[in-house]
Amino acid sequence: MALGGRSPWHTAGGPKFLYVLEGTMTVEGLGGKVLMACGPAPKLCFNPHKELFYFRNAGPSPLKFLVIGMDPVSKPTNHEIVGQVTGISANRITVAVGDLRSSDLATPSKEVTVTVSELSTIVVGDDVVTIRHNEKDHTAERLVRLAQRWR
């Protein structure tokens, strides 16, 4: 992972072992809150966080790491979608997908319509992240409004 780079958002079904081969990483949650730091390498860390998080290269050099997940089969780790709500129809929410590298919307533009099982106070124009996004059928438990774009 490049200097300053980050992973997509994740929701985890279980804890993770993180083995940092090179560099230093942080595990961050909503609002950029640092949930834990791991490194400098070589370093083995335990990430117990099961809620929304992402990995960030926090060091002055490239980051190489290995993740060993302990997810139950019924609740795997999910890669989440970030973006801006462009449409709402019943429990179907259309999201213009965000680009994590630039904090802008993806270019070329891309939209995904997600069926959510739990509606909240999300409105058109909100920056959001999905929770438990299923990439096969584009369902999710819910969306969370982000205070800062993609953070």
Side-chain angles (χ1 to χ4, degrees):
M1 184 178 295
L3 178 62
R6 61 164 284 179
S7 73
W9 281 98
H10 295 79
T11 49
K16 311 280 182 242
F17 281 103
L18 310 172
Y19 184 60
V20 176
L21 301 164
E22 294 179 19
T24 301
M25 75 173 349
T26 57
V27 177
E28 299 181 20
L30 288 171
K33 178 181 177 186
V34 176
L35 303 174
M36 69 170 293
C38 188
K43 184 79 172 187
L44 178 66
C45 299
F46 180 70
N47 176 22
H49 304 286
K50 295 181 184 178
E51 292 302 314
L52 206 54
F53 68 91
Y54 57 89
F55 303 114
R56 181 179 295 283
N57 180 348
S61 60
L63 170 67
K64 291 185 182 176
F65 64 101
L66 173 71
V67 178
I68 301 169
M70 296 177 285
D71 296 342
V73 173
S74 63
K75 207 169 192 182
T77 293
N78 296 68
H79 289 173
E80 305 298 345
I81 292 175
V82 296
Q84 189 174 71
V85 175
T86 58
I88 301 173
S89 177
N91 65 339
R92 295 177 54 80
I93 313 280
T94 302
V95 177
V97 176
D99 183 337
L100 295 174
R101 292 178 302 276
S102 69
S103 293
D104 294 327
L105 297 176
T107 304
S109 63
K110 177 181 176 185
E111 288 190 332
V112 173
T113 299
V114 180
T115 302
V116 294
S117 56
E118 181 182 311
L119 288 175
S120 59
T121 58
I122 302 295
V123 297
V124 171
D126 282 347
D127 292 328
V128 296
V129 60
T130 57
I131 302 293
R132 297 247 164 248
H133 176 246
N134 181 327
E135 294 178 8
K136 292 179 184 168
D137 64 6
H138 289 296
T139 58
E141 287 180 9
R142 66 186 188 280
L143 299 178
V144 172
R145 183 183 7 253
L146 299 171
Q148 291 180 300
R149 192 166 260 194
W150 323 154
R151 288 197 68 152

